[in-house]
Amino acid sequence: MSDTFFSGAPHWTWFIIPYFYVGGLAGGACFLAAILEWFGKPEDRPVVRAGYDVAAVGAILSGLLLTVDLGQPLRFWHMLFQSEHFPAIMFKAWSPISFGAWAILLFGLFSVLSALGARAEEGRLRNAALRAVGGVVRGGLAKFVSGVGGLLGFFVAGYTGVLLSVTNRPIWADSPWLGALRARGRAAGARPLPRLPRIDQPGVARRLGAGPARRGGGRGDSRPAAVAHETRAGRQARAARRLPAAARHHARLRGNRPLPTGGWDVACSQDVDIAGGWG
Amino acid sequence: MPEAMGFFTDTTVCIGCKACEVACKEWNQLPAENGGVGTLSGDSYDNTRRLDGIHWRHVRFIEQFKGPYDGRWLMMSDVCKHCVQAGCLEVCPTGAIIRTEFDTVVIQSDVCNGCRACIAACPFGVIDINPVSGTAQKCTLCYDRLKVGLEPACSKACPTDSIQFGPITELRQRAQKRVEQLRAQGTKADLYGADPKGPLGGLNSFYLLVDKPEVYGLPAKPQLPTRNLSKSAGFSVASAAVLGVLALVGLRKHWMDDMGGPGGGGGGGGGGQN
């Protein structure tokens, strides 16, 4: 009999499972935006800016979901500072949840800075203070902020798998692959990014803002990619069919036709979350 | 510095009276379950059923019956094991879980924020949330009583001395003698968690069992949650590196597409497949 059969369920369910998705998506978006920030072309800028938006909103949402899930939400800061010796830092490198708390805080900071920089780039910040911050980020710090944010984003996307492994629960603690699986599942959006349609038309970036609301729509109108053979769109569609949910989400953000299939690893890691969480 | 203190629970003399459960609830002011309305488990005389945030002691009933007239009850008063290497203490991100001067493990309820990492980390399923405080709680080995020289409420109340409290070294000697006595009588008897070289560095609450540990709901080889840390983190980092490289390979094609070179388009899904 497995020695993990005697542990108790931590009841991580209603807020944590959406957090796994939102956090992973935000992390993956920041990671791919950072790659395009560093190595992309000028016409990639709208994608980069959209990536920072998804990252910033997702990071804030992640923090909120995690805080609301606590038994004592107002004590969330006990994970960051020693509550009895306030400014002293509370950090355990060997505890994924402690490491993760810091990573999400810093990821939030860097992704919001990047998003402000992106807004400043578009000249859409009305508040003077925010405009100043955005301007500072734009004025030479963009690559640094984005790079750190991208790495933190990747960490946020992957650490939850390690966290689940570092328990004594069945399935979770029996596989060392969860972290890798999660990182792949959630951040694999970065992998096909260059292959997705580029945004060449002006004005697309503005439409992207309304993207998440359209996420759920239109599964039914997807068609086999073979229809579009031998065209650039066909190649993109074939490549994109291999993408996991995060990437499909990005595809939809760009107003593409929704793609019918999801990645095996996403489905798998999601099932594992649920199996263990409910157990 | 006081000695390491703990419990030795001799399950052979437990009569299932639950005096320890009651004493624990009284001393620690733990609330009743379900607003005080009794619920029956329906499949056992054990109606407490488990350890959790409001049950820090639980007399486990193991009903081994082959027929109506042939069987036995095993009874074991279960509690936090106060592991020498404690998984809950390891993962706690707030520092709420501490090791005391008595070598016991205590959750400070005013520091805990209810993240529940310790619940999943405990190999024995001891910890859970106390719905009144919203924090994780478990046996403190009556830290407040130990501080003033009293023994814990449960062992004080135990009428058969099934729960014995004392310095760990002394308890181990006593337990060994009892095992020898039982074996001499022809009874199968083994100690669980008494070996400081055993799993988790030994348990400061250890047991004398007459059947396999699993029968009592105890893992044969409890392990620390961090056993998975380096491997899992390593795989994740490796996966990150692979993805990063693939993304860069994809970008190279992205640039080449733009130059209109034949290499760019022809690669199709190269970067996306792995």
Side-chain angles (χ1 to χ4, degrees):
Chain A
M1 198 181 289
S2 168
D3 290 324
T4 55
F5 287 178
F6 304 94
S7 55
H11 326 297
W12 290 326
T13 52
W14 302 112
F15 295 111
I16 297 303
I17 290 172
Y19 154 69
F20 280 167
Y21 187 77
V22 170
L25 192 63
C30 200
F31 179 73
L32 61 90
I35 286 195
L36 280 183
E37 173 87 63
W38 277 77
F39 306 106
K41 292 186 259 187
E43 66 260 34
D44 294 327
R45 294 307 302 170
V47 182
V48 174
R49 292 196 291 266
Y52 293 148
D53 290 351
V54 172
V57 172
I60 292 167
L61 204 56
S62 296
L64 287 176
L65 284 168
L66 288 173
T67 301
V68 171
D69 182 67
L70 293 175
Q72 287 277 0
L74 293 178
R75 295 186 192 164
F76 73 93
W77 60 275
H78 287 198
M79 283 183 183
L80 304 167
F81 300 99
Q82 297 176 20
S83 55
E84 301 289 311
H85 312 275
F86 170 58
I89 298 295
M90 183 66 223
F91 178 66
K92 288 180 173 176
W94 60 90
S95 167
I97 200 161
S98 176
F99 214 127
W102 275 102
I104 288 164
L105 183 77
L106 295 175
F107 172 58
L109 177 70
F110 279 88
S111 58
V112 167
L113 282 178
S114 287
L116 284 177
R119 292 286 80 75
E121 184 181 330
E122 291 174 325
R124 282 172 52 198
L125 285 174
R126 292 205 195 92
N127 183 301
L130 292 181
R131 202 163 50 229
V133 175
V136 169
V137 174
R138 247 359 289 156
L141 283 176
K143 284 206 164 166
F144 170 75
V145 171
S146 167
V148 175
L151 289 177
L152 285 168
F154 207 101
F155 182 90
V156 168
Y159 90 96
T160 47
V162 180
L163 191 154
L164 294 182
S165 278
V166 182
T167 63
N168 262 308
R169 295 297 290 154
I171 305 178
W172 291 353
D174 296 331
S175 164
W177 284 103
L178 283 188
L181 201 62
R182 300 197 62 87
R184 270 172 51 93
R186 296 305 186 280
R191 184 173 55 179
L193 177 76
R195 204 146 281 100
L196 290 169
R198 255 178 278 146
I199 300 170
D200 298 313
Q201 314 96 312
V204 173
R206 241 160 289 134
R207 289 211 304 280
L208 287 176
R214 288 191 268 119
R215 258 191 62 209
R219 237 165 217 279
D221 64 353
S222 55
R223 285 182 181 78
V227 174
H229 61 96
E230 292 315 309
T231 63
R232 164 172 284 207
R235 286 200 304 275
Q236 285 158 352
R238 277 203 305 282
R241 248 183 310 143
R242 303 181 165 279
L243 308 186
R248 276 193 284 137
H249 176 78
H250 288 295
R252 282 189 211 133
L253 273 181
R254 287 170 204 166
N256 272 8
R257 175 177 297 164
L259 297 155
T261 54
W264 171 84
D265 38 8
V266 168
C268 187
S269 69
Q270 200 77 10
D271 292 345
V272 166
D273 299 341
I274 293 166
W278 242 276
Chain B
M1 174 99 182
E3 282 179 275
M5 306 297 262
F7 290 125
F8 160 49
T9 305
D10 180 353
T11 63
T12 57
V13 292
C14 179
I15 55 171
C17 73
K18 301 196 181 210
C20 50
E21 278 191 31
V22 175
C24 176
K25 279 222 172 199
E26 288 228 333
W27 180 261
N28 294 299
Q29 300 187 323
L30 297 175
E33 192 176 19
N34 198 22
V37 181
T39 53
L40 300 178
S41 60
D43 58 358
S44 164
Y45 285 101
D46 174 7
N47 293 310
T48 308
R49 296 189 282 274
R50 72 198 163 274
L51 289 170
D52 62 25
I54 56 172
H55 299 103
W56 298 356
R57 267 275 175 200
H58 164 219
V59 182
R60 202 184 274 276
F61 289 19
I62 297 109
E63 287 131 343
Q64 295 178 322
F65 286 88
K66 290 178 197 127
Y69 306 106
D70 179 17
R72 64 171 178 176
W73 265 288
L74 302 177
M75 286 157 186
M76 175 189 127
S77 183
D78 198 8
V79 72
C80 170
K81 313 300 178 292
H82 296 277
C83 314
V84 173
Q85 295 159 15
C88 58
L89 193 156
E90 235 180 1
V91 300
C92 175
T94 62
I97 305 186
I98 56 164
R99 184 168 298 284
T100 70
E101 65 269 38
F102 304 105
D103 205 22
T104 58
V105 180
V106 170
I107 305 178
Q108 306 171 91
S109 199
D110 56 337
V111 178
C112 173
N113 67 7
C115 80
R116 315 197 281 292
C118 53
I119 300 175
C122 174
F124 304 102
V126 163
I127 312 176
D128 209 339
I129 293 287
N130 180 336
V132 176
S133 65
T135 61
Q137 294 195 348
K138 67 170 190 70
C139 165
T140 65
L141 218 137
C142 281
Y143 182 64
D144 48 350
R145 290 173 65 96
L146 261 55
K147 284 294 267 188
V148 295
L150 294 171
E151 71 173 305
C154 54
S155 63
K156 180 83 178 169
C158 180
T160 62
D161 257 353
S162 170
I163 304 170
Q164 300 178 31
F165 167 79
I168 284 294
T169 44
E170 197 187 309
L171 288 178
R172 280 189 187 130
Q173 289 167 3
R174 211 185 296 171
Q176 202 51 52
K177 270 191 204 139
R178 175 69 178 152
V179 167
E180 282 156 21
Q181 186 189 17
L182 285 168
R183 284 180 182 165
Q185 293 169 2
T187 307
K188 181 183 177 318
D190 287 296
L191 292 181
Y192 179 82
D195 182 4
K197 293 190 200 79
L200 307 179
L203 309 176
N204 280 348
S205 171
F206 62 94
Y207 297 83
L208 186 153
L209 307 177
V210 297
D211 208 329
K212 285 195 298 260
E214 287 95 333
V215 171
Y216 292 87
L218 298 167
K221 284 195 188 64
Q223 290 174 289
L224 285 173
T226 42
R227 70 183 180 280
N228 294 321
L229 181 60
S230 50
K231 212 198 261 180
S232 185
F235 283 157
S236 302
V237 169
S239 165
V242 168
L243 267 179
V245 168
L246 283 173
L248 289 180
V249 168
L251 267 178
R252 199 186 118 265
K253 293 181 183 300
H254 176 47
W255 281 97
M256 287 173 74
D257 272 354
D258 220 41
M259 286 184 246
Q273 299 164 352
N274 72 338

